[in-house]
Amino acid sequence: MKYPETNKIAHTDTYFGTNVNDPHHWLEDDRSPETMAWVKAQNEVTYNYLKKIPYRDALKKRMEQLWNYEKIGAPFKEGGYTYFYKNNGLQNQSVLYRKNASGKEEVFLDPNTFSKDGTTSLGAVDFSKDGSKVAYSISEGGSDWRKIILMDALSKRIMEDTIVDVKFSGVSWKGNEGFYYSSYDKPQGSELSAKTDQHKLYFHKLGTAQKSDKVIFGMDQKRRYVSGSVTEDDKYLVISAANSTYGNELYMTDLSNDANPIVTVVNDFKSSSYVIENEDTKLFIVTDWNAPNQKIVTVDFSNPKPENWKDFIAETEYVLSPSTGGGYFFAHYMKDAVSAVKQYDYSGKLIRDIVLPGIGTVSGFNGKKTDKPLYFTFTNYITPGNTYSFEANGGKSEVYQKPKVDFNGDNYVSKQVFYTSKDGAKIPMIITHKKGLKLDGKNPTMLYGYGGFSVSLTPAFSIANAIWMENGGIYAVPNLRGGGEYGKKWHDAGTKMLKQNVFDDFIAAAEYLIANKYTSKDYLAIRGGSNGGLLVGATMTQRPDLMKVALPAVGVLDMLRYHTFTSGAGWAYDYGTSEDSKEMFEYIKGYSPVHNVKKGVQYPATMVTTGDHDDRVVPAHSFKFAAELQDKQTGNNPTLIRIDVKAGHGAGKSVAATIQENVDIQAFTLYNMGIKSLPNWKK
């Protein structure tokens, strides 16, 4: 392979007396002509390589064919209308429809009209309590920076000037008076990479200019993440404030009088808590305070400190993620990464264990107190997401919408195994493939992982994975430490000075698949995105002999400098930083992918993927890692980087771009496993 020339420019950072060379530091300047030229040159090499793969076009044709089915979301009521999202199959963005009481249907918002190339997406859509007004956010080019557009929901008329420069924010209405939203001051330098660390909660009063929006919280208290939400009865504003992705302060104020003070509920970052519901002054709070697997407590607003909390739904051995709707509480539990749901009334009485359609992932059972019926979605690795209606009073559920996908899950098997990691920890993994697959060590296998930020990987259907398995591939997902599948202890066991546990768990998953003849090192690919990109980068640099293909996507790959970009400093609960201590610096440097690429090593065939507008995990991580690999790779395995233009971290990516990315990843993977042709598909 002949790669574009990547300049090396002397740059050194010093940590606790240790000099660290960073010759590709210049690639951090995402808007410079030199970086833009490098991106263009790298893409040219990558796409020329991909074009030579003989079955790439056939793979795309089949992907589009399978993807092309109608997708309809669960309906929700706002004012006199019922709203729902629908995609006719290959539309770049789903369309928001509504129908009135007589059943007449119309398009309400069509994001496909926002931009010609499909790179402007619709974010949150929030209605005022009576449904007469709506505020919706848009993202351009995949950026986390959003705009909020205000509209009269009845006439669909734009009401006033667009709210700009909004980031990491929902919208929560206070009656029809206005709404709360959050943002940072626009940073100096590149808005896509410059540090942002003081989040503020604003109130926008309808009919006034954005410059006069009042700061409610965050002016005097410097916090990285601040959010505000109004309770369903319009009685309270609830404020959450945090400096990291785990742990938050909790504040509230009574909205009956503007002069009412902000009351402190939780005054430290040692736990995570939020208000899920209230009955007048009685608050229902979800918390992991003294409950690593979470519980719901009650307390009166007049004296809301934790010492006065009383258990409402107590902690169990399983992780709780509750919802409310239809006048009930729904306790969602994870049992070895699959769903179980219990229904409670407002007195805390168990109404029923809800009978689910099968073993998999359930989401939903939420809505307003008056909503009837409620809806939920069920899915697993071989079952496309089916939507069910649920009568909360009687407990009856029935199919509301079943997608017509050209995929028969009866021809596949999905089973859970438990394997042993390096230190003896038992780790669950779900392995999915065609029935009757011969375990001869020659099956192309995609091992996908995440392992961080208390994120749980639960079974879910994917068209891309269906295509992979249709071609005889195995799809395997372990639930690594660092995730949330077993609560806070499981999360903490993969953080800071224990981060190596996550990589060891992933390596042990690969070794299990090889030892049990599912695959071999010549047919194994590892894949992950964001924190999962770090997982792949660390695993391939520690054990390059273990896999044939590595696919780090939008990864956190320069661990010494991640906290200096955008909101990266907020990830320190999981990672620690290179500035914390000499010990932490040395530990992080020991696994940081950018700093552990070595000359004379044959690394697996690698395709790094990122977006040039990724302002969550800035593309400099991927740029520097790819540059290091291209400079030091030994042998003939390609080390490419595929950079989506006008794309961000992933949210809002168009269907066309998503399909092409999955096609390229699978084509690259199979081609580098020596697969010459794909099975003949039925037409």
Side-chain angles (χ1 to χ4, degrees):
M1 295 281 311
K2 182 169 174 56
Y3 302 109
E5 185 177 342
T6 304
N7 288 334
K8 293 183 181 179
I9 300 172
H11 180 93
T12 303
D13 292 310
T14 303
Y15 304 88
F16 301 99
T18 300
N19 291 331
V20 178
N21 295 323
D22 189 3
H24 301 124
H25 181 86
W26 63 273
L27 286 167
E28 292 182 6
D29 187 352
D30 50 272
R31 301 293 90 180
S32 77
E34 293 80 8
T35 301
M36 290 181 181
W38 184 88
V39 167
K40 186 177 179 182
Q42 290 287 348
N43 270 343
E44 193 172 323
V45 168
T46 297
Y47 285 109
N48 282 339
Y49 179 92
L50 293 169
K51 283 175 190 173
K52 294 175 184 176
I53 299 174
Y55 39 77
R56 183 181 180 226
D57 289 342
L59 200 55
K60 183 179 181 182
K61 185 177 179 182
R62 179 57 179 153
M63 190 86 73
E64 288 177 339
Q65 185 183 45
L66 205 60
W67 208 291
N68 192 14
Y69 68 93
E70 187 178 65
K71 305 162 190 72
I72 301 175
F76 55 98
K77 291 180 180 177
E78 300 290 351
Y81 291 91
T82 299
Y83 293 82
F84 59 97
Y85 288 91
K86 183 167 72 173
N87 190 306
N88 64 19
L90 293 175
Q91 287 176 292
N92 274 329
Q93 307 287 343
S94 293
V95 179
L96 181 57
Y97 289 81
R98 72 177 178 186
K99 55 186 176 182
N100 59 20
S102 65
K104 184 183 178 184
E105 191 175 293
E106 66 175 343
V107 171
F108 184 66
L109 285 172
D110 183 358
N112 299 292
T113 64
F114 292 174
S115 62
K116 288 182 179 179
D117 58 3
T119 59
T120 299
S121 59
L122 178 64
V125 178
D126 296 278
F127 289 84
S128 60
K129 296 292 189 295
D130 65 2
S132 67
K133 297 172 180 62
V134 64
Y136 64 92
S137 64
I138 62 170
S139 168
E140 296 166 318
S143 172
D144 280 333
W145 289 100
R146 306 292 167 93
K147 294 176 180 176
I148 296 175
I149 298 166
L150 288 156
M151 194 164 77
D152 182 298
L154 306 181
S155 66
K156 296 195 285 186
R157 178 180 56 81
I158 301 298
M159 293 174 60
E160 55 182 69
D161 290 344
T162 297
I163 306 291
V164 298
D165 297 336
V166 177
K167 189 171 183 180
F168 295 158
S169 178
V171 166
S172 191
W173 286 84
K174 178 185 177 185
N176 284 317
E177 181 185 337
F179 57 83
Y180 298 91
Y181 70 95
S182 306
S183 197
Y184 304 91
D185 293 335
K186 212 60 177 294
Q188 294 184 339
S190 171
E191 69 178 54
L192 295 177
S193 57
K195 191 171 183 176
T196 50
D197 64 354
Q198 185 167 357
H199 216 200
K200 299 172 187 174
L201 178 66
Y202 294 88
F203 180 71
H204 176 73
K205 187 174 183 178
L206 294 188
T208 64
Q210 182 181 0
K211 64 183 179 182
S212 62
D213 289 354
K214 182 181 177 184
V215 177
I216 304 300
F217 187 96
M219 184 67 83
D220 301 320
Q221 316 92 328
K222 187 177 179 181
R223 303 289 184 265
R224 282 197 188 93
Y225 308 111
V226 176
S227 64
S229 61
V230 178
T231 54
E232 189 177 333
D233 60 4
D234 254 349
K235 188 175 179 64
Y236 299 110
L237 170 67
V238 182
I239 301 170
S240 174
N243 279 326
S244 196
T245 47
Y246 173 79
N248 69 294
E249 301 166 322
L250 191 62
Y251 303 92
M252 294 181 68
T253 185
D254 185 336
L255 292 174
S256 61
N257 190 318
D258 288 345
N260 285 335
I262 292 176
V263 174
T264 302
V265 181
V266 178
N267 65 356
D268 59 41
F269 304 104
K270 296 177 182 176
S271 61
S272 284
S273 305
Y274 63 93
V275 176
I276 188 173
E277 181 62 290
N278 71 296
E279 277 189 309
D280 195 24
T281 62
K282 183 181 182 181
L283 310 177
F284 297 84
I285 298 173
V286 181
T287 185
D288 64 4
W289 182 69
N290 291 337
N293 289 344
Q294 293 205 134
K295 62 182 178 180
I296 303 179
V297 298
T298 59
V299 71
D300 195 84
F301 176 73
S302 62
N303 204 352
K305 294 290 179 68
E307 54 264 30
N308 299 313
W309 291 357
K310 295 179 180 177
D311 284 3
F312 174 69
I313 297 178
E315 182 190 24
T316 71
E317 62 180 308
Y318 303 113
V319 180
L320 170 67
S321 303
S323 63
T324 62
Y328 294 94
F329 286 83
F330 296 89
H332 302 241
Y333 292 101
M334 267 188 299
K335 297 182 178 181
D336 296 327
V338 299
S339 294
V341 184
K342 295 176 181 286
Q343 181 181 353
Y344 292 86
D345 66 16
Y346 275 61
S347 70
K349 177 187 173 185
L350 175 64
I351 303 300
R352 61 179 60 87
D353 289 315
I354 294 174
V355 178
L356 302 179
I359 296 172
T361 302
V362 166
S363 57
F365 294 108
N366 52 18
K368 301 180 180 71
K369 284 182 183 176
T370 55
D371 280 355
K372 289 178 177 41
L374 299 175
Y375 297 87
F376 69 92
T377 300
F378 172 82
T379 184
N380 57 35
Y381 291 119
I382 57 175
T383 306
N386 293 330
T387 303
Y388 294 79
S389 62
F390 176 78
E391 295 295 341
N393 291 336
K396 182 184 176 184
S397 61
E398 58 184 33
V399 174
Y400 172 77
Q401 199 261 338
K402 186 173 184 178
K404 296 179 177 66
V405 188
D406 184 19
F407 177 84
N408 185 359
D410 293 339
N411 297 332
Y412 296 81
V413 62
S414 190
K415 69 175 183 178
Q416 188 173 60
V417 300
F418 289 82
Y419 65 90
T420 304
S421 191
K422 183 178 181 180
D423 64 355
K426 294 291 184 187
I427 314 294
M429 174 165 59
I430 296 179
I431 305 169
T432 310
H433 55 77
K434 271 184 180 175
K435 287 181 177 175
L437 196 73
K438 189 178 178 183
L439 301 185
D440 58 2
K442 295 182 179 179
N443 301 302
T445 298
M446 189 73 75
L447 179 62
Y448 180 88
Y450 189 80
F453 297 92
S454 198
V455 170
S456 301
L457 296 187
T458 59
F461 183 77
S462 153
I463 292 293
N465 292 340
I467 296 284
W468 176 260
M469 294 186 295
E470 187 179 67
N471 281 319
I474 293 172
Y475 187 69
V477 182
N479 297 108
L480 313 172
R481 282 175 287 185
E485 291 86 353
Y486 296 102
K488 189 172 186 300
K489 291 177 182 176
W490 194 253
H491 174 206
D492 286 349
T495 61
K496 295 187 176 75
M497 304 288 278
L498 298 175
K499 188 65 182 174
Q500 184 60 40
N501 284 340
V502 186
F503 314 139
D504 289 343
D505 292 354
F506 203 50
I507 289 166
E511 291 173 336
Y512 176 92
L513 292 167
I514 292 168
N516 288 276
K517 299 292 182 70
Y518 285 97
T519 192
S520 63
K521 64 180 182 180
D522 291 329
Y523 293 95
L524 177 66
I526 58 172
R527 184 179 181 186
S530 197
N531 174 74
L534 163 63
L535 172 70
V536 171
T539 302
M540 66 179 281
T541 50
Q542 291 181 15
R543 287 293 306 276
D545 60 307
L546 194 58
M547 75 292 299
K548 184 65 179 175
V549 178
L551 302 161
V554 292
V556 190
L557 298 161
D558 183 343
M559 295 305 298
L560 297 184
R561 288 184 50 73
Y562 79 86
H563 59 290
T564 65
F565 304 110
T566 61
S567 57
W571 312 334
Y573 182 90
D574 264 58
Y575 299 145
T577 78
S578 56
E579 298 171 2
D580 288 349
S581 66
K582 189 173 190 292
E583 184 185 27
M584 184 65 82
F585 154 68
E586 289 173 347
Y587 186 86
I588 291 172
K589 186 174 181 290
Y591 72 79
S592 175
V594 164
H595 301 94
N596 283 280
V597 181
K598 297 177 175 63
K599 271 198 178 295
V601 175
Q602 178 165 304
Y603 291 99
T606 303
M607 187 162 72
V608 181
T609 53
T610 188
D612 70 339
H613 278 60
D614 189 345
D615 47 6
R616 187 88 52 89
V617 180
V618 296
H621 286 277
S622 295
F623 295 172
K624 291 163 80 170
F625 188 54
E628 287 289 324
L629 285 169
Q630 290 178 358
D631 181 48
K632 296 174 180 173
Q633 170 75 297
T634 296
N636 296 321
N637 289 335
T639 51
L640 304 175
I641 180 166
R642 182 187 184 280
I643 305 152
D644 262 336
V645 179
K646 294 181 74 175
H649 199 58
K653 184 177 285 190
S654 71
V655 165
T658 302
I659 288 174
Q660 190 62 63
E661 182 180 52
N662 279 293
V663 165
D664 289 349
I665 284 170
Q666 290 190 24
F668 177 86
T669 300
L670 294 168
Y671 189 64
N672 280 284
M673 290 175 175
I675 308 296
K676 304 295 185 192
S677 62
L678 301 183
N680 292 320
W681 290 302
K682 61 181 180 180
K683 292 185 178 177

